[in-house]
PDB file of all heavy atoms in Angstrom:
ATOM      1  N   GLU A 252      10.616  -9.046   0.891  1.00  0.00           N
ATOM      2  CA  GLU A 252      11.835  -8.299   1.157  1.00  0.00           C
ATOM      3  C   GLU A 252      11.734  -6.914   0.508  1.00  0.00           C
ATOM      4  O   GLU A 252      10.862  -6.657  -0.319  1.00  0.00           O
ATOM      5  CB  GLU A 252      13.031  -9.074   0.607  1.00  0.00           C
ATOM      6  CG  GLU A 252      12.970  -9.252  -0.879  1.00  0.00           C
ATOM      7  CD  GLU A 252      13.457 -10.623  -1.343  1.00  0.00           C
ATOM      8  OE1 GLU A 252      13.414 -11.578  -0.564  1.00  0.00           O
ATOM      9  OE2 GLU A 252      13.873 -10.711  -2.499  1.00  0.00           O
ATOM     10  N   SER A 253      12.635  -6.011   0.878  1.00  0.00           N
ATOM     11  CA  SER A 253      12.551  -4.623   0.421  1.00  0.00           C
ATOM     12  C   SER A 253      12.603  -4.504  -1.097  1.00  0.00           C
ATOM     13  O   SER A 253      11.883  -3.712  -1.704  1.00  0.00           O
ATOM     14  CB  SER A 253      13.683  -3.798   1.037  1.00  0.00           C
ATOM     15  OG  SER A 253      13.542  -3.732   2.434  1.00  0.00           O
ATOM     16  N   SER A 254      13.459  -5.291  -1.750  1.00  0.00           N
ATOM     17  CA  SER A 254      13.569  -5.203  -3.206  1.00  0.00           C
ATOM     18  C   SER A 254      12.273  -5.614  -3.884  1.00  0.00           C
ATOM     19  O   SER A 254      11.886  -5.060  -4.921  1.00  0.00           O
ATOM     20  CB  SER A 254      14.718  -6.073  -3.709  1.00  0.00           C
ATOM     21  OG  SER A 254      14.501  -7.435  -3.376  1.00  0.00           O
ATOM     22  N   ALA A 255      11.578  -6.596  -3.298  1.00  0.00           N
ATOM     23  CA  ALA A 255      10.304  -7.027  -3.865  1.00  0.00           C
ATOM     24  C   ALA A 255       9.234  -5.958  -3.667  1.00  0.00           C
ATOM     25  O   ALA A 255       8.398  -5.736  -4.549  1.00  0.00           O
ATOM     26  CB  ALA A 255       9.872  -8.339  -3.228  1.00  0.00           C
ATOM     27  N   LEU A 256       9.252  -5.296  -2.525  1.00  0.00           N
ATOM     28  CA  LEU A 256       8.291  -4.224  -2.280  1.00  0.00           C
ATOM     29  C   LEU A 256       8.502  -3.085  -3.272  1.00  0.00           C
ATOM     30  O   LEU A 256       7.543  -2.539  -3.822  1.00  0.00           O
ATOM     31  CB  LEU A 256       8.432  -3.716  -0.843  1.00  0.00           C
ATOM     32  CG  LEU A 256       7.519  -2.561  -0.427  1.00  0.00           C
ATOM     33  CD1 LEU A 256       6.054  -2.907  -0.638  1.00  0.00           C
ATOM     34  CD2 LEU A 256       7.783  -2.188   1.036  1.00  0.00           C
ATOM     35  N   ASP A 257       9.762  -2.743  -3.539  1.00  0.00           N
ATOM     36  CA  ASP A 257      10.053  -1.696  -4.522  1.00  0.00           C
ATOM     37  C   ASP A 257       9.575  -2.108  -5.915  1.00  0.00           C
ATOM     38  O   ASP A 257       9.020  -1.291  -6.658  1.00  0.00           O
ATOM     39  CB  ASP A 257      11.556  -1.406  -4.553  1.00  0.00           C
ATOM     40  CG  ASP A 257      12.044  -0.724  -3.286  1.00  0.00           C
ATOM     41  OD1 ASP A 257      11.204  -0.146  -2.563  1.00  0.00           O
ATOM     42  OD2 ASP A 257      13.258  -0.784  -3.015  1.00  0.00           O
ATOM     43  N   ALA A 258       9.793  -3.375  -6.282  1.00  0.00           N
ATOM     44  CA  ALA A 258       9.351  -3.857  -7.592  1.00  0.00           C
ATOM     45  C   ALA A 258       7.839  -3.826  -7.697  1.00  0.00           C
ATOM     46  O   ALA A 258       7.282  -3.469  -8.746  1.00  0.00           O
ATOM     47  CB  ALA A 258       9.882  -5.271  -7.835  1.00  0.00           C
ATOM     48  N   LEU A 259       7.169  -4.187  -6.618  1.00  0.00           N
ATOM     49  CA  LEU A 259       5.708  -4.146  -6.628  1.00  0.00           C
ATOM     50  C   LEU A 259       5.209  -2.718  -6.821  1.00  0.00           C
ATOM     51  O   LEU A 259       4.300  -2.468  -7.617  1.00  0.00           O
ATOM     52  CB  LEU A 259       5.172  -4.742  -5.322  1.00  0.00           C
ATOM     53  CG  LEU A 259       3.668  -4.985  -5.226  1.00  0.00           C
ATOM     54  CD1 LEU A 259       3.374  -6.192  -4.354  1.00  0.00           C
ATOM     55  CD2 LEU A 259       2.944  -3.762  -4.651  1.00  0.00           C
ATOM     56  N   ARG A 260       5.830  -1.772  -6.112  1.00  0.00           N
ATOM     57  CA  ARG A 260       5.429  -0.361  -6.236  1.00  0.00           C
ATOM     58  C   ARG A 260       5.639   0.156  -7.662  1.00  0.00           C
ATOM     59  O   ARG A 260       4.773   0.818  -8.220  1.00  0.00           O
ATOM     60  CB  ARG A 260       6.256   0.502  -5.282  1.00  0.00           C
ATOM     61  CG  ARG A 260       5.797   0.526  -3.841  1.00  0.00           C
ATOM     62  CD  ARG A 260       6.413   1.749  -3.158  1.00  0.00           C
ATOM     63  NE  ARG A 260       6.258   1.712  -1.708  1.00  0.00           N
ATOM     64  CZ  ARG A 260       7.229   1.410  -0.859  1.00  0.00           C
ATOM     65  NH1 ARG A 260       8.425   1.086  -1.323  1.00  0.00           N
ATOM     66  NH2 ARG A 260       7.012   1.424   0.442  1.00  0.00           N
ATOM     67  N   THR A 261       6.804  -0.124  -8.231  1.00  0.00           N
ATOM     68  CA  THR A 261       7.167   0.509  -9.495  1.00  0.00           C
ATOM     69  C   THR A 261       6.643  -0.227 -10.723  1.00  0.00           C
ATOM     70  O   THR A 261       6.335   0.401 -11.739  1.00  0.00           O
ATOM     71  CB  THR A 261       8.700   0.640  -9.604  1.00  0.00           C
ATOM     72  OG1 THR A 261       9.293  -0.670  -9.511  1.00  0.00           O
ATOM     73  CG2 THR A 261       9.239   1.529  -8.507  1.00  0.00           C
ATOM     74  N   ARG A 262       6.501  -1.565 -10.648  1.00  0.00           N
ATOM     75  CA  ARG A 262       6.089  -2.328 -11.819  1.00  0.00           C
ATOM     76  C   ARG A 262       4.605  -2.665 -11.827  1.00  0.00           C
ATOM     77  O   ARG A 262       3.954  -2.568 -12.877  1.00  0.00           O
ATOM     78  CB  ARG A 262       6.880  -3.651 -11.899  1.00  0.00           C
ATOM     79  CG  ARG A 262       8.371  -3.520 -12.072  1.00  0.00           C
ATOM     80  CD  ARG A 262       8.803  -2.890 -13.394  1.00  0.00           C
ATOM     81  NE  ARG A 262       8.170  -3.426 -14.587  1.00  0.00           N
ATOM     82  CZ  ARG A 262       8.557  -4.521 -15.256  1.00  0.00           C
ATOM     83  NH1 ARG A 262       9.621  -5.206 -14.821  1.00  0.00           N
ATOM     84  NH2 ARG A 262       7.950  -4.909 -16.354  1.00  0.00           N
ATOM     85  N   LEU A 263       4.067  -3.085 -10.691  1.00  0.00           N
ATOM     86  CA  LEU A 263       2.701  -3.616 -10.699  1.00  0.00           C
ATOM     87  C   LEU A 263       1.633  -2.598 -10.323  1.00  0.00           C
ATOM     88  O   LEU A 263       0.530  -2.621 -10.883  1.00  0.00           O
ATOM     89  CB  LEU A 263       2.600  -4.831  -9.768  1.00  0.00           C
ATOM     90  CG  LEU A 263       3.377  -6.070 -10.214  1.00  0.00           C
ATOM     91  CD1 LEU A 263       3.150  -7.220  -9.239  1.00  0.00           C
ATOM     92  CD2 LEU A 263       2.983  -6.491 -11.632  1.00  0.00           C
ATOM     93  N   LEU A 264       1.915  -1.693  -9.381  1.00  0.00           N
ATOM     94  CA  LEU A 264       0.893  -0.723  -8.996  1.00  0.00           C
ATOM     95  C   LEU A 264       0.400   0.096 -10.193  1.00  0.00           C
ATOM     96  O   LEU A 264      -0.812   0.237 -10.380  1.00  0.00           O
ATOM     97  CB  LEU A 264       1.407   0.209  -7.897  1.00  0.00           C
ATOM     98  CG  LEU A 264       1.515  -0.359  -6.482  1.00  0.00           C
ATOM     99  CD1 LEU A 264       1.898   0.745  -5.508  1.00  0.00           C
ATOM    100  CD2 LEU A 264       0.232  -1.033  -6.021  1.00  0.00           C
ATOM    101  N   PRO A 265       1.286   0.642 -11.033  1.00  0.00           N
ATOM    102  CA  PRO A 265       0.789   1.424 -12.169  1.00  0.00           C
ATOM    103  C   PRO A 265       0.053   0.584 -13.211  1.00  0.00           C
ATOM    104  O   PRO A 265      -0.719   1.112 -14.003  1.00  0.00           O
ATOM    105  CB  PRO A 265       2.066   2.034 -12.766  1.00  0.00           C
ATOM    106  CG  PRO A 265       3.090   1.946 -11.682  1.00  0.00           C
ATOM    107  CD  PRO A 265       2.753   0.705 -10.929  1.00  0.00           C
ATOM    108  N   MET A 266       0.284  -0.716 -13.212  1.00  0.00           N
ATOM    109  CA  MET A 266      -0.318  -1.608 -14.198  1.00  0.00           C
ATOM    110  C   MET A 266      -1.706  -2.079 -13.778  1.00  0.00           C
ATOM    111  O   MET A 266      -2.506  -2.534 -14.604  1.00  0.00           O
ATOM    112  CB  MET A 266       0.612  -2.820 -14.378  1.00  0.00           C
ATOM    113  CG  MET A 266       0.306  -3.718 -15.536  1.00  0.00           C
ATOM    114  SD  MET A 266       1.569  -5.013 -15.652  1.00  0.00           S
ATOM    115  CE  MET A 266       3.008  -4.045 -16.102  1.00  0.00           C
ATOM    116  N   ALA A 267      -2.003  -1.980 -12.486  1.00  0.00           N
ATOM    117  CA  ALA A 267      -3.228  -2.557 -11.942  1.00  0.00           C
ATOM    118  C   ALA A 267      -4.452  -1.704 -12.245  1.00  0.00           C
ATOM    119  O   ALA A 267      -4.409  -0.478 -12.137  1.00  0.00           O
ATOM    120  CB  ALA A 267      -3.089  -2.747 -10.440  1.00  0.00           C
ATOM    121  N   THR A 268      -5.544  -2.359 -12.610  1.00  0.00           N
ATOM    122  CA  THR A 268      -6.843  -1.704 -12.713  1.00  0.00           C
ATOM    123  C   THR A 268      -7.354  -1.348 -11.328  1.00  0.00           C
ATOM    124  O   THR A 268      -7.934  -0.280 -11.110  1.00  0.00           O
ATOM    125  CB  THR A 268      -7.854  -2.633 -13.410  1.00  0.00           C
ATOM    126  OG1 THR A 268      -7.306  -3.100 -14.641  1.00  0.00           O
ATOM    127  CG2 THR A 268      -9.179  -1.930 -13.647  1.00  0.00           C
ATOM    128  N   LEU A 269      -7.143  -2.267 -10.384  1.00  0.00           N
ATOM    129  CA  LEU A 269      -7.586  -2.099  -9.003  1.00  0.00           C
ATOM    130  C   LEU A 269      -6.584  -2.761  -8.077  1.00  0.00           C
ATOM    131  O   LEU A 269      -6.088  -3.856  -8.369  1.00  0.00           O
ATOM    132  CB  LEU A 269      -8.969  -2.743  -8.803  1.00  0.00           C
ATOM    133  CG  LEU A 269      -9.545  -2.703  -7.384  1.00  0.00           C
ATOM    134  CD1 LEU A 269     -10.009  -1.284  -7.035  1.00  0.00           C
ATOM    135  CD2 LEU A 269     -10.704  -3.680  -7.229  1.00  0.00           C
ATOM    136  N   VAL A 270      -6.288  -2.110  -6.955  1.00  0.00           N
ATOM    137  CA  VAL A 270      -5.435  -2.678  -5.907  1.00  0.00           C
ATOM    138  C   VAL A 270      -6.285  -2.878  -4.664  1.00  0.00           C
ATOM    139  O   VAL A 270      -7.078  -2.002  -4.301  1.00  0.00           O
ATOM    140  CB  VAL A 270      -4.242  -1.746  -5.605  1.00  0.00           C
ATOM    141  CG1 VAL A 270      -3.356  -2.348  -4.520  1.00  0.00           C
ATOM    142  CG2 VAL A 270      -3.435  -1.498  -6.869  1.00  0.00           C
ATOM    143  N   THR A 271      -6.136  -4.025  -3.986  1.00  0.00           N
ATOM    144  CA  THR A 271      -7.012  -4.376  -2.861  1.00  0.00           C
ATOM    145  C   THR A 271      -6.219  -4.653  -1.578  1.00  0.00           C
ATOM    146  O   THR A 271      -6.265  -5.757  -1.047  1.00  0.00           O
ATOM    147  CB  THR A 271      -7.877  -5.597  -3.210  1.00  0.00           C
ATOM    148  OG1 THR A 271      -7.022  -6.750  -3.391  1.00  0.00           O
ATOM    149  CG2 THR A 271      -8.698  -5.369  -4.459  1.00  0.00           C
ATOM    150  N   PRO A 272      -5.486  -3.678  -1.047  1.00  0.00           N
ATOM    151  CA  PRO A 272      -4.681  -3.941   0.147  1.00  0.00           C
ATOM    152  C   PRO A 272      -5.518  -3.959   1.418  1.00  0.00           C
ATOM    153  O   PRO A 272      -6.549  -3.284   1.531  1.00  0.00           O
ATOM    154  CB  PRO A 272      -3.711  -2.756   0.165  1.00  0.00           C
ATOM    155  CG  PRO A 272      -4.502  -1.639  -0.440  1.00  0.00           C
ATOM    156  CD  PRO A 272      -5.349  -2.281  -1.508  1.00  0.00           C
ATOM    157  N   ASN A 273      -5.058  -4.750   2.405  1.00  0.00           N
ATOM    158  CA  ASN A 273      -5.563  -4.561   3.762  1.00  0.00           C
ATOM    159  C   ASN A 273      -4.743  -3.442   4.404  1.00  0.00           C
ATOM    160  O   ASN A 273      -3.830  -2.880   3.782  1.00  0.00           O
ATOM    161  CB  ASN A 273      -5.520  -5.866   4.562  1.00  0.00           C
ATOM    162  CG  ASN A 273      -4.119  -6.439   4.723  1.00  0.00           C
ATOM    163  OD1 ASN A 273      -3.123  -5.716   4.751  1.00  0.00           O
ATOM    164  ND2 ASN A 273      -4.017  -7.753   4.811  1.00  0.00           N
ATOM    165  N   LEU A 274      -5.053  -3.084   5.628  1.00  0.00           N
ATOM    166  CA  LEU A 274      -4.395  -1.917   6.222  1.00  0.00           C
ATOM    167  C   LEU A 274      -2.896  -2.117   6.452  1.00  0.00           C
ATOM    168  O   LEU A 274      -2.107  -1.214   6.152  1.00  0.00           O
ATOM    169  CB  LEU A 274      -5.105  -1.518   7.515  1.00  0.00           C
ATOM    170  CG  LEU A 274      -6.561  -1.069   7.345  1.00  0.00           C
ATOM    171  CD1 LEU A 274      -7.106  -0.514   8.656  1.00  0.00           C
ATOM    172  CD2 LEU A 274      -6.707  -0.027   6.239  1.00  0.00           C
ATOM    173  N   PRO A 275      -2.433  -3.275   6.966  1.00  0.00           N
ATOM    174  CA  PRO A 275      -0.977  -3.438   7.103  1.00  0.00           C
ATOM    175  C   PRO A 275      -0.245  -3.363   5.764  1.00  0.00           C
ATOM    176  O   PRO A 275       0.861  -2.819   5.689  1.00  0.00           O
ATOM    177  CB  PRO A 275      -0.843  -4.834   7.733  1.00  0.00           C
ATOM    178  CG  PRO A 275      -2.128  -5.033   8.480  1.00  0.00           C
ATOM    179  CD  PRO A 275      -3.167  -4.374   7.622  1.00  0.00           C
ATOM    180  N   GLU A 276      -0.859  -3.879   4.705  1.00  0.00           N
ATOM    181  CA  GLU A 276      -0.226  -3.803   3.382  1.00  0.00           C
ATOM    182  C   GLU A 276      -0.207  -2.367   2.866  1.00  0.00           C
ATOM    183  O   GLU A 276       0.805  -1.909   2.300  1.00  0.00           O
ATOM    184  CB  GLU A 276      -0.975  -4.720   2.417  1.00  0.00           C
ATOM    185  CG  GLU A 276      -0.744  -6.191   2.726  1.00  0.00           C
ATOM    186  CD  GLU A 276      -1.794  -7.115   2.146  1.00  0.00           C
ATOM    187  OE1 GLU A 276      -2.831  -6.632   1.642  1.00  0.00           O
ATOM    188  OE2 GLU A 276      -1.580  -8.342   2.221  1.00  0.00           O
ATOM    189  N   ALA A 277      -1.301  -1.645   3.074  1.00  0.00           N
ATOM    190  CA  ALA A 277      -1.332  -0.243   2.661  1.00  0.00           C
ATOM    191  C   ALA A 277      -0.302   0.573   3.433  1.00  0.00           C
ATOM    192  O   ALA A 277       0.338   1.470   2.871  1.00  0.00           O
ATOM    193  CB  ALA A 277      -2.734   0.332   2.873  1.00  0.00           C
ATOM    194  N   GLU A 278      -0.119   0.269   4.724  1.00  0.00           N
ATOM    195  CA  GLU A 278       0.889   0.978   5.523  1.00  0.00           C
ATOM    196  C   GLU A 278       2.284   0.775   4.951  1.00  0.00           C
ATOM    197  O   GLU A 278       3.093   1.715   4.903  1.00  0.00           O
ATOM    198  CB  GLU A 278       0.822   0.497   6.972  1.00  0.00           C
ATOM    199  CG  GLU A 278      -0.405   0.991   7.719  1.00  0.00           C
ATOM    200  CD  GLU A 278      -0.502   0.434   9.128  1.00  0.00           C
ATOM    201  OE1 GLU A 278       0.175  -0.583   9.431  1.00  0.00           O
ATOM    202  OE2 GLU A 278      -1.256   1.003   9.937  1.00  0.00           O
ATOM    203  N   LEU A 279       2.598  -0.455   4.509  1.00  0.00           N
ATOM    204  CA  LEU A 279       3.905  -0.709   3.894  1.00  0.00           C
ATOM    205  C   LEU A 279       4.054   0.056   2.586  1.00  0.00           C
ATOM    206  O   LEU A 279       5.123   0.598   2.282  1.00  0.00           O
ATOM    207  CB  LEU A 279       4.088  -2.207   3.643  1.00  0.00           C
ATOM    208  CG  LEU A 279       4.545  -3.063   4.813  1.00  0.00           C
ATOM    209  CD1 LEU A 279       4.635  -4.523   4.385  1.00  0.00           C
ATOM    210  CD2 LEU A 279       5.901  -2.588   5.346  1.00  0.00           C
ATOM    211  N   LEU A 280       2.986   0.117   1.812  1.00  0.00           N
ATOM    212  CA  LEU A 280       3.057   0.781   0.511  1.00  0.00           C
ATOM    213  C   LEU A 280       3.265   2.285   0.646  1.00  0.00           C
ATOM    214  O   LEU A 280       4.017   2.888  -0.122  1.00  0.00           O
ATOM    215  CB  LEU A 280       1.789   0.501  -0.292  1.00  0.00           C
ATOM    216  CG  LEU A 280       1.657  -0.912  -0.868  1.00  0.00           C
ATOM    217  CD1 LEU A 280       0.262  -1.127  -1.442  1.00  0.00           C
ATOM    218  CD2 LEU A 280       2.714  -1.151  -1.945  1.00  0.00           C
ATOM    219  N   ILE A 281       2.600   2.906   1.629  1.00  0.00           N
ATOM    220  CA  ILE A 281       2.666   4.376   1.730  1.00  0.00           C
ATOM    221  C   ILE A 281       3.609   4.845   2.832  1.00  0.00           C
ATOM    222  O   ILE A 281       3.921   6.038   2.916  1.00  0.00           O
ATOM    223  CB  ILE A 281       1.269   4.983   1.948  1.00  0.00           C
ATOM    224  CG1 ILE A 281       0.702   4.597   3.319  1.00  0.00           C
ATOM    225  CG2 ILE A 281       0.323   4.572   0.830  1.00  0.00           C
ATOM    226  CD1 ILE A 281      -0.619   5.283   3.660  1.00  0.00           C
ATOM    227  N   GLY A 282       4.049   3.938   3.714  1.00  0.00           N
ATOM    228  CA  GLY A 282       4.974   4.305   4.775  1.00  0.00           C
ATOM    229  C   GLY A 282       4.348   5.104   5.899  1.00  0.00           C
ATOM    230  O   GLY A 282       5.042   5.881   6.565  1.00  0.00           O
ATOM    231  N   GLU A 283       3.051   4.928   6.138  1.00  0.00           N
ATOM    232  CA  GLU A 283       2.354   5.655   7.202  1.00  0.00           C
ATOM    233  C   GLU A 283       1.406   4.723   7.944  1.00  0.00           C
ATOM    234  O   GLU A 283       0.893   3.765   7.365  1.00  0.00           O
ATOM    235  CB  GLU A 283       1.550   6.827   6.611  1.00  0.00           C
ATOM    236  CG  GLU A 283       2.382   7.872   5.900  1.00  0.00           C
ATOM    237  CD  GLU A 283       1.515   8.954   5.267  1.00  0.00           C
ATOM    238  OE1 GLU A 283       0.302   8.982   5.547  1.00  0.00           O
ATOM    239  OE2 GLU A 283       2.053   9.762   4.491  1.00  0.00           O
ATOM    240  N   ARG A 284       1.149   5.043   9.219  1.00  0.00           N
ATOM    241  CA  ARG A 284       0.192   4.281   9.998  1.00  0.00           C
ATOM    242  C   ARG A 284      -1.233   4.646   9.591  1.00  0.00           C
ATOM    243  O   ARG A 284      -1.524   5.787   9.236  1.00  0.00           O
ATOM    244  CB  ARG A 284       0.373   4.559  11.500  1.00  0.00           C
ATOM    245  CG  ARG A 284       1.676   4.035  12.091  1.00  0.00           C
ATOM    246  CD  ARG A 284       1.739   2.522  12.041  1.00  0.00           C
ATOM    247  NE  ARG A 284       0.601   1.888  12.704  1.00  0.00           N
ATOM    248  CZ  ARG A 284       0.540   1.643  14.016  1.00  0.00           C
ATOM    249  NH1 ARG A 284       1.542   2.004  14.806  1.00  0.00           N
ATOM    250  NH2 ARG A 284      -0.520   1.059  14.534  1.00  0.00           N
ATOM    251  N   ILE A 285      -2.127   3.644   9.681  1.00  0.00           N
ATOM    252  CA  ILE A 285      -3.548   3.851   9.377  1.00  0.00           C
ATOM    253  C   ILE A 285      -4.334   3.327  10.574  1.00  0.00           C
ATOM    254  O   ILE A 285      -4.470   2.120  10.758  1.00  0.00           O
ATOM    255  CB  ILE A 285      -3.969   3.107   8.092  1.00  0.00           C
ATOM    256  CG1 ILE A 285      -3.059   3.495   6.928  1.00  0.00           C
ATOM    257  CG2 ILE A 285      -5.430   3.386   7.766  1.00  0.00           C
ATOM    258  CD1 ILE A 285      -3.253   2.637   5.688  1.00  0.00           C
ATOM    259  N   GLU A 286      -4.843   4.262  11.390  1.00  0.00           N
ATOM    260  CA  GLU A 286      -5.429   3.857  12.664  1.00  0.00           C
ATOM    261  C   GLU A 286      -6.918   4.159  12.784  1.00  0.00           C
ATOM    262  O   GLU A 286      -7.536   3.787  13.766  1.00  0.00           O
ATOM    263  CB  GLU A 286      -4.665   4.515  13.810  1.00  0.00           C
ATOM    264  CG  GLU A 286      -3.198   4.081  13.875  1.00  0.00           C
ATOM    265  CD  GLU A 286      -2.436   4.765  14.997  1.00  0.00           C
ATOM    266  OE1 GLU A 286      -2.803   5.898  15.343  1.00  0.00           O
ATOM    267  OE2 GLU A 286      -1.488   4.158  15.510  1.00  0.00           O
ATOM    268  N   ASP A 287      -7.501   4.870  11.810  1.00  0.00           N
ATOM    269  CA  ASP A 287      -8.923   5.170  11.868  1.00  0.00           C
ATOM    270  C   ASP A 287      -9.437   5.450  10.461  1.00  0.00           C
ATOM    271  O   ASP A 287      -8.681   5.413   9.486  1.00  0.00           O
ATOM    272  CB  ASP A 287      -9.213   6.350  12.814  1.00  0.00           C
ATOM    273  CG  ASP A 287      -8.400   7.591  12.472  1.00  0.00           C
ATOM    274  OD1 ASP A 287      -8.113   7.821  11.274  1.00  0.00           O
ATOM    275  OD2 ASP A 287      -8.048   8.342  13.410  1.00  0.00           O
ATOM    276  N   LEU A 288     -10.738   5.730  10.358  1.00  0.00           N
ATOM    277  CA  LEU A 288     -11.334   5.945   9.042  1.00  0.00           C
ATOM    278  C   LEU A 288     -10.766   7.172   8.337  1.00  0.00           C
ATOM    279  O   LEU A 288     -10.594   7.176   7.110  1.00  0.00           O
ATOM    280  CB  LEU A 288     -12.859   6.077   9.174  1.00  0.00           C
ATOM    281  CG  LEU A 288     -13.636   4.768   9.323  1.00  0.00           C
ATOM    282  CD1 LEU A 288     -15.104   5.052   9.613  1.00  0.00           C
ATOM    283  CD2 LEU A 288     -13.502   3.922   8.059  1.00  0.00           C
ATOM    284  N   ASP A 289     -10.466   8.232   9.097  1.00  0.00           N
ATOM    285  CA  ASP A 289      -9.866   9.415   8.481  1.00  0.00           C
ATOM    286  C   ASP A 289      -8.525   9.072   7.844  1.00  0.00           C
ATOM    287  O   ASP A 289      -8.202   9.529   6.737  1.00  0.00           O
ATOM    288  CB  ASP A 289      -9.692  10.527   9.516  1.00  0.00           C
ATOM    289  CG  ASP A 289     -11.004  11.175   9.913  1.00  0.00           C
ATOM    290  OD1 ASP A 289     -11.985  11.045   9.143  1.00  0.00           O
ATOM    291  OD2 ASP A 289     -11.061  11.799  10.990  1.00  0.00           O
ATOM    292  N   ALA A 290      -7.743   8.261   8.557  1.00  0.00           N
ATOM    293  CA  ALA A 290      -6.442   7.851   8.015  1.00  0.00           C
ATOM    294  C   ALA A 290      -6.610   6.954   6.791  1.00  0.00           C
ATOM    295  O   ALA A 290      -5.776   6.978   5.879  1.00  0.00           O
ATOM    296  CB  ALA A 290      -5.633   7.141   9.097  1.00  0.00           C
ATOM    297  N   MET A 291      -7.685   6.172   6.746  1.00  0.00           N
ATOM    298  CA  MET A 291      -7.959   5.359   5.557  1.00  0.00           C
ATOM    299  C   MET A 291      -8.201   6.250   4.341  1.00  0.00           C
ATOM    300  O   MET A 291      -7.716   5.974   3.245  1.00  0.00           O
ATOM    301  CB  MET A 291      -9.159   4.443   5.796  1.00  0.00           C
ATOM    302  CG  MET A 291      -8.875   3.250   6.701  1.00  0.00           C
ATOM    303  SD  MET A 291     -10.346   2.194   6.960  1.00  0.00           S
ATOM    304  CE  MET A 291     -10.621   1.548   5.293  1.00  0.00           C
ATOM    305  N   HIS A 292      -8.951   7.337   4.537  1.00  0.00           N
ATOM    306  CA  HIS A 292      -9.173   8.272   3.432  1.00  0.00           C
ATOM    307  C   HIS A 292      -7.847   8.882   2.964  1.00  0.00           C
ATOM    308  O   HIS A 292      -7.606   9.021   1.754  1.00  0.00           O
ATOM    309  CB  HIS A 292     -10.146   9.370   3.862  1.00  0.00           C
ATOM    310  CG  HIS A 292     -11.586   8.943   3.872  1.00  0.00           C
ATOM    311  ND1 HIS A 292     -12.425   9.128   2.802  1.00  0.00           N
ATOM    312  CD2 HIS A 292     -12.324   8.321   4.826  1.00  0.00           C
ATOM    313  CE1 HIS A 292     -13.623   8.655   3.087  1.00  0.00           C
ATOM    314  NE2 HIS A 292     -13.591   8.151   4.315  1.00  0.00           N
ATOM    315  N   GLY A 293      -6.993   9.247   3.909  1.00  0.00           N
ATOM    316  CA  GLY A 293      -5.690   9.779   3.544  1.00  0.00           C
ATOM    317  C   GLY A 293      -4.830   8.754   2.826  1.00  0.00           C
ATOM    318  O   GLY A 293      -4.071   9.106   1.905  1.00  0.00           O
TER     319      GLY A 293
END
C-alpha cells in the first residue's frame, strides 16, 4: 500500500548497503517508466 511504499523509501532505502529492485519495483520507487537500457541508467 502507499503508506508502506513511503516507509520503505524514507526508512529502509537510506539504511541499505545495496538495493536490488526489478524494473517494476524501480518504477514504483522513482515514479517513472523504464523501457530500455538508457532508461535503466537514468
Side-chain angles (χ1 to χ4, degrees):
E252 62 219 24
S253 296
S254 61
L256 178 56
D257 291 340
L259 189 148
R260 279 198 192 104
T261 59
R262 297 295 312 276
L263 293 182
L264 285 186
M266 191 176 293
T268 308
L269 177 73
V270 180
T271 65
N273 61 30
L274 297 188
E276 289 160 350
E278 288 176 342
L279 278 179
L280 287 171
I281 67 174
E283 298 176 10
R284 292 295 304 275
I285 306 170
E286 297 179 331
D287 54 33
L288 281 173
D289 287 340
M291 286 180 66
H292 282 267

